[in-house]
Amino acid sequence: MAVTEETDAEPEGLDPTGDPLLRTRLALPERPGTFLRRVRLARHLDRALKTPLTMVNGSAGAGKTLLVADWAAGLPEPVAWLTTDTADQAPGIFWAYFLQALRAAGVPLTGGAGCPAEATRVDRRTLTCLAAALEHRDRPTVVVLDEFDRVTSPEIAQQLQFVLHHAGGGMRLVLVTRTEPLLPLHRYRASGEITEIRNAELAFTAEEAHDLLSRHGLRLPASAVQALVERTQGWAAGLRLCALAALQGPDPQAYVKQFEADHSTVADFLLAEVLDRQPAGTQDLLLRISVLDRCCPDLVNALTLRRDAEPILAALHRENAFVHYLGHSWYSLHPLFAEILRAHLRERRPGLEPQLRGRAARWLRRSGALPDALAQGAAADDWEFTARAVVDDLAIGQLFTGLRSEDLSALFARMSPEAEGPAPDLVRAARELGRRDLAHGLAHLHRAEEQLGRNGAEPAPVRLSCALLEALAARLTGSPGRAERAAEQARRLRPDVPEHLLDEHPELTALLLTHLGSARLWAGRFEDARIALSAVAGSPDGAAMALPRWEALGHLALIDYLNGWPGRAEHKALAAAGQAERYSLPQRSGSAIGPLVLAAVLVDRDELDEAEALLDERGASRPAFEDPVAEAARTLARGRLLLARGDARAALAAAEATIPATVSSPWAQDHSALLASAAHLAQGHPEPARKAVERVTRHRTARAVEEARARLAEGRPDRALALIDGLPEKDRPGPAVTVRATLVRAQAAHQTGDHTTVGRLVARALQDGRREQLRRPFLEAGPWIRPLLSTGRLRHLAGGWLVSGPGPSADGGPAAPDPYPVRAVEALSARERDVLRGLAELMSTEEIAADLHVSVNTVKTHLKSIYRKLAVSRRGDAVRRARALRLL
């Protein structure tokens, strides 16, 4: 006799086919002893008691089932648990288990909610009675359907939606699934009646992973845990399986560090739970795209030679099959899954991986994704294609500047020596010259030029790339003529280069102009150098332009300093420092002239400790080989500092240092001679000082001033005045030179007894020097000037920046120059005041940076500005001066 749906007399525990109902499917899964209850997820699940529908949607092994089982075990409400099965596609079977789960939870079902009579259908009345029975209960029943992704029947989904809707507050449905169910989720989302926990939220944090591994008995340092979380992306099964495997070895920490996913239980899990569950065609697609870091349907079709990649990728993403959607039709595989698939690909199809990577590289290059194309070309060991892509696409400048320069340099470090041709040699030359390895870089460049000479058909981008490297080589070797020829070659080639390539790679033109400007500066052609460098410094900002803008600003600062304008030089050098800090440019990536200029300016201001700190920092980070301009700037700044410190012998040695270059630099020779002359004078030797200054050929005013100082030391004020008065009117150097020239005139007048003229000239020198904070010229003038600075108007002009106060010293004598005066302070910015307060609290530079949420370099830049404004060079002095001026 058939069992009907309307009777309650049917035997319990049988489905409509007469088979027994498996009670294991109705029981909450047991949690292992190593299970970690994650409070943040449990609290999120508590919202399920307030919404009709809850969906916990994640990939295989994401920890969904144990999470919900642990939460459900602690509920006071009745919980009906059902682990669904593929056999549940028949509505009668599904609802038989559903009803039995409710009975097992102690939920009484009366009326017509009996077991379905047929496997293939369920009567509407059964569902209506079930919904009514649940709706009339005093408290809601929590129904958990685990592995609900196995239920793919639209009919069952519609029936479940009917019961859920009409049960009202009597049922809270929790679906644990790998895919989104066929329920109208959009309605629940729109009305706020759904609680969702998805894959990203299920991922373990580093702290949770640490606790999980500890429960397994695996103690790892925080860095190792973080690395494991990044590699697994917080995937629960991956963490657990790795921990279990690590504990079986003698050194768990080493196992985690050297973990090979393709030879582990993780591989077994993913192959069985993800790959093997897919159709053969989809498996092949997954194996092929495992060579890609990211992919889109068109790229996948190119790799698989098929046309249906788009729906397959979308389906894999919906199924949480370890395929992540990145947006804009781009996808990626979970890193561990990709690693395992690649190993599987090599076993199934030996030799296919390089072909796939080569095919992907060419597709990516055609699509404009050059960085990805280069990575694939290198992985395919196709170095001719990879180097050619960099050169033909005019991207060789990216080896020097931009956010990817270090990555590109590391990529091409693996280039096979067998790769031949102009493009590989140009890339090798770029790497070596960028690292300042002149010998190897020039050898590769020469070989590339020989090949280009034999092959006249090379496209313009190749030849333009060669011109860039020629300009760099010229700069590094101090060959201005070679730089001009390279620039002219580039000018002729530009019309033949596709306009879009020049627009996409502005760094190439900027680098070329920077190298040309540096070579012109070395040649002493300051205005021509300024034209080239200003074009770069004024170019639009951006990561690709960071290095050339940094170097251009540093070179412009040096030109201003050499012309005697320390304030202008400081402004440009600080702008260069800001550019370097903003884009985190490593000091070894360029010439870094800015700090050298700042150090020289600080010497002129007699802020010697700060100047020495800058030079020491620059010396610690400078490359083994510097271009001549940077080397000359460093030598000049160091020599001036040594002289200011009173070590004339060491300053003289610095002045006599030889700077390797193809041609000599007139300004470098001039300033070396001026430094040597000043060192001789400091030793009390005016005659060798005069002979040294005879070598100065271009800096007429500076030469005349230094020679006049020597004449004054010989007691010849008349000759000194003749030298200064003989200067042409059009020769107008900056204040660093004119202040010294005025003081020479004043000293000559002092020696001849013309006190009126002395006072007028010293006053002028004080007025000009105060604007630039130039203290060294007054300190170098000698003892004759000190009494003058303690009287009348001159005391007023010197007070507050050159001497400590307006009156005489305590012993009644003249006030001595004070390198740390209390003076009228240029207004401090709000951030500078914050830094100053940190100094007062005895915080370190690193602590101040952390407290203000800025970098250490930013704090150092603010410190330099504070020291300058307070006329100090030490932290303690800055705090004392600030308190004296009531800034603290």
Side-chain angles (χ1 to χ4, degrees):
M1 183 173 178
V3 179
T4 65
E5 294 179 348
E6 286 73 16
T7 179
D8 292 327
E10 74 279 353
E12 291 189 3
L14 298 178
D15 68 20
T17 66
D19 290 337
L21 295 172
L22 301 176
R23 296 188 180 276
T24 54
R25 293 179 54 191
L26 308 176
L28 267 69
E30 292 186 8
R31 279 82 67 206
T34 56
F35 174 77
L36 174 69
R37 189 169 193 268
R38 294 188 277 171
V39 176
R40 64 180 177 90
L41 294 179
R43 288 176 178 170
H44 193 166
L45 269 176
D46 286 341
R47 302 176 196 170
L49 299 176
K50 300 179 181 180
T51 58
L53 179 62
T54 295
M55 181 176 65
V56 181
N57 185 352
S59 61
K64 308 179 296 297
T65 297
L66 292 180
L67 167 69
V68 176
D70 178 69
W71 170 77
L75 292 177
E77 292 81 4
V79 177
W81 184 283
L82 170 59
T83 302
T84 63
D85 191 84
T86 53
D88 294 347
Q89 306 309 314
I93 303 294
F94 173 82
W95 286 105
Y97 270 101
F98 191 100
L99 293 167
Q100 188 63 25
L102 288 170
R103 295 189 184 97
V107 178
L109 296 176
T110 59
C115 181
E118 301 177 34
T120 57
R121 60 180 294 274
V122 62
D123 189 87
R124 181 77 167 199
R125 184 169 181 273
T126 299
L127 302 178
T128 301
C129 293
L130 171 61
L134 291 171
E135 196 271 338
H136 286 98
R137 286 182 56 77
D138 294 335
R139 55 177 180 168
T141 299
V142 177
V143 178
V144 180
L145 299 182
D146 190 22
E147 300 188 25
F148 190 70
D149 47 279
R150 295 182 175 184
V151 179
T152 59
S153 167
E155 184 179 0
I156 293 176
Q158 291 175 2
Q159 294 165 350
L160 187 61
Q161 165 61 17
F162 173 85
V163 173
L164 179 61
H165 176 71
H166 291 286
M171 183 172 78
R172 297 290 183 247
L173 180 62
V174 180
L175 302 180
V176 183
T177 176
R178 295 187 190 181
T179 64
E180 290 205 352
L182 297 176
L183 300 176
L185 299 179
H186 60 283
R187 296 180 187 172
Y188 289 97
R189 287 169 179 153
S191 61
E193 294 183 306
I194 185 172
T195 298
E196 294 187 75
I197 295 180
R198 306 185 73 85
N199 217 37
E201 192 176 355
L202 290 167
F204 274 69
T205 65
E207 293 77 10
E208 291 169 343
H210 178 272
D211 293 343
L212 177 68
L213 296 173
S214 297
R215 283 178 173 268
H216 283 79
L218 188 59
R219 305 286 179 178
L220 296 176
S223 58
V225 174
Q226 182 63 42
L228 187 58
V229 169
E230 290 176 0
R231 191 171 178 199
T232 61
Q233 294 188 346
W235 178 45
L239 292 169
R240 290 192 180 96
L241 294 172
C242 183
L244 292 171
L247 289 170
Q248 295 175 5
D251 189 344
Q253 188 170 336
Y255 176 88
V256 171
K257 187 176 181 180
Q258 301 169 4
F259 171 55
E260 296 181 6
D262 53 313
H263 295 96
S264 68
T265 53
V266 174
D268 297 336
F269 181 95
L270 286 174
L271 291 174
E273 291 292 326
V274 182
L275 183 66
D276 292 345
R277 293 176 61 158
Q278 303 298 332
T282 303
Q283 290 188 33
D284 181 70
L285 180 145
L286 286 169
L287 289 171
R288 288 172 179 261
I289 68 172
S290 67
V291 304
L292 303 172
D293 292 328
R294 62 190 188 111
C295 61
C296 65
D298 288 343
L299 174 54
V300 175
N301 284 335
L303 246 62
T304 59
L305 305 179
R306 55 196 298 167
R307 299 180 180 179
D308 58 350
E310 186 169 7
I312 293 177
L313 290 171
L316 288 168
H317 170 63
R318 285 195 306 270
E319 296 169 11
N320 280 311
F322 290 80
V323 175
H324 306 314
Y325 183 61
L326 306 176
H328 304 288
S329 298
W330 285 87
Y331 297 82
S332 70
L333 296 177
H334 187 288
L336 281 180
F337 191 35
E339 187 178 338
I340 292 163
L341 289 175
R342 283 194 297 273
H344 216 50
L345 174 68
R346 292 167 193 144
E347 292 177 4
R348 287 190 182 183
R349 302 286 299 276
L352 181 59
E353 182 180 354
Q355 298 178 33
L356 293 172
R357 290 190 181 277
R359 196 180 301 167
R362 284 157 178 79
W363 187 95
L364 288 164
R365 185 185 173 193
R366 289 193 302 270
S367 302
L370 184 62
D372 292 332
L374 298 179
Q376 290 295 337
D381 207 26
D382 189 349
W383 293 108
E384 184 177 353
F385 162 84
T386 308
R388 192 84 200 191
V390 167
V391 176
D392 285 352
D393 285 21
L394 215 61
I396 199 166
Q398 292 186 353
L399 280 160
F400 303 99
T401 188
L403 299 177
R404 299 189 63 255
S405 57
E406 293 185 3
D407 292 341
L408 277 176
S409 182
L411 183 146
F412 281 106
R414 312 196 316 260
M415 183 160 56
S416 168
E418 284 75 30
E420 297 180 350
D425 275 321
L426 285 175
V427 171
R428 292 186 183 103
R431 282 194 72 253
E432 302 299 349
L433 292 175
R435 296 163 55 201
R436 301 302 195 261
D437 186 344
L438 204 57
H440 290 94
L442 290 177
H444 290 307
L445 180 59
H446 180 66
R447 186 159 52 246
E449 289 172 335
E450 283 183 341
Q451 295 173 84
L452 288 174
R454 292 194 298 267
N455 183 6
E458 289 290 347
V462 178
R463 296 184 177 275
L464 186 57
S465 298
C466 186
L468 167 67
L469 299 183
E470 267 293 312
L472 174 56
R475 168 186 169 181
L476 295 178
T477 56
S479 307
R482 185 178 183 179
E484 295 291 346
R485 290 190 295 273
E488 176 59 24
Q489 182 187 15
R491 187 190 64 79
R492 292 196 306 267
L493 287 167
R494 284 182 67 92
D496 298 328
V497 177
E499 194 67 28
H500 74 276
L501 289 181
L502 293 170
D503 292 340
E504 290 169 5
H505 296 289
E507 73 278 355
L508 188 135
T509 300
L511 287 168
L512 197 149
L513 287 174
T514 302
H515 303 331
L516 177 64
S518 180
R520 286 176 173 176
L521 196 163
W522 179 248
R525 296 165 51 198
F526 287 177
E527 289 312 308
D528 290 338
R530 193 189 300 276
I531 291 171
L533 295 167
S534 296
V536 179
S539 61
D541 205 355
M545 299 294 291
L547 177 69
R549 280 171 54 86
W550 175 42
E551 292 203 316
L553 286 166
H555 282 75
L556 288 169
L558 179 60
I559 292 174
D560 282 337
Y561 178 79
L562 294 175
N563 283 333
W565 295 94
R568 297 177 186 176
E570 179 190 38
H571 177 75
K572 292 184 177 66
L574 289 175
Q579 188 78 7
E581 179 181 347
R582 179 178 179 184
Y583 293 101
S584 302
L585 294 174
Q587 293 293 315
R588 292 179 180 271
S589 65
S591 57
I593 290 177
L596 302 176
V597 175
L598 284 175
V601 171
L602 289 169
V603 170
D604 282 346
R605 292 174 176 165
D606 202 47
E607 298 176 20
L608 304 184
D609 289 344
E610 187 68 17
E612 187 165 17
L614 271 176
L615 288 173
D616 290 344
E617 181 181 352
R618 176 68 182 91
S621 63
R622 73 189 185 108
F625 175 86
E626 283 193 306
D627 66 77
V629 171
E631 184 64 29
R634 186 185 66 81
T635 302
L636 173 62
R638 178 65 71 180
R640 289 291 179 188
L641 175 64
L642 291 168
L643 186 61
R645 291 288 196 197
D647 194 345
R649 181 176 297 179
L652 189 59
E656 294 172 350
T658 301
I659 298 174
T662 302
V663 299
S664 58
S665 170
W667 67 263
Q669 289 183 324
D670 283 0
H671 281 274
S672 292
L674 291 169
L675 177 59
S677 177
H680 284 304
L681 275 180
Q683 292 176 316
H685 303 144
E687 184 175 354
R690 280 193 297 104
K691 290 182 178 179
V693 85
E694 288 174 0
R695 303 198 304 268
V696 177
T697 59
R698 295 197 179 190
H699 292 73
R700 295 186 58 185
T701 302
R703 169 180 172 166
V705 169
E706 201 60 42
E707 187 175 352
R709 290 183 65 218
R711 290 299 184 182
L712 288 172
E714 292 175 335
R716 301 293 303 274
D718 54 333
R719 297 294 298 274
L721 282 173
L723 286 166
I724 300 299
D725 292 340
L727 291 170
E729 287 292 328
K730 64 178 181 179
D731 192 8
R732 296 181 181 275
V737 179
T738 57
V739 167
R740 286 180 167 87
T742 303
L743 288 174
V744 166
R745 289 177 184 270
Q747 185 176 356
H750 181 271
Q751 288 187 6
T752 59
D754 187 353
H755 300 297
T756 301
T757 301
V758 171
R760 175 175 56 81
L761 291 174
V762 172
R764 183 197 303 172
L766 286 169
Q767 289 171 334
D768 293 343
R770 180 171 56 186
R771 283 191 290 269
E772 299 280 353
Q773 300 294 296
L774 292 170
R775 300 184 185 86
R776 285 309 308 169
F778 296 92
L779 297 175
E780 293 168 353
W784 66 271
I785 199 173
R786 293 177 184 173
L788 300 174
L789 299 179
S790 64
T791 59
R793 180 170 178 252
L794 298 183
R795 182 179 65 181
H796 174 74
L797 291 173
W801 71 278
L802 185 58
V803 297
S804 58
S809 63
D811 61 2
D818 184 354
Y820 308 116
V822 178
R823 60 186 174 92
V825 179
E826 181 183 342
L828 298 180
S829 68
R831 184 45 59 91
E832 287 168 350
R833 286 177 179 268
D834 291 338
V835 172
L836 191 57
R837 280 190 284 271
L839 293 184
E841 295 172 8
L842 301 180
M843 296 170 67
S844 68
T845 303
E846 292 74 14
E847 290 170 336
I848 296 173
D851 185 58
L852 299 180
H853 303 288
V854 298
S855 70
V856 171
N857 284 336
T858 296
V859 174
K860 289 180 178 178
T861 300
H862 288 314
L863 284 175
K864 294 169 190 172
S865 181
I866 291 169
Y867 291 167
R868 177 180 63 79
K869 291 177 179 180
L870 296 180
V872 298
S873 60
R874 296 182 180 88
R875 286 170 168 249
D877 293 328
V879 173
R880 283 192 292 274
R881 295 297 183 267
R883 285 175 174 153
L885 293 166
R886 299 190 177 184
L887 297 176
L888 288 173

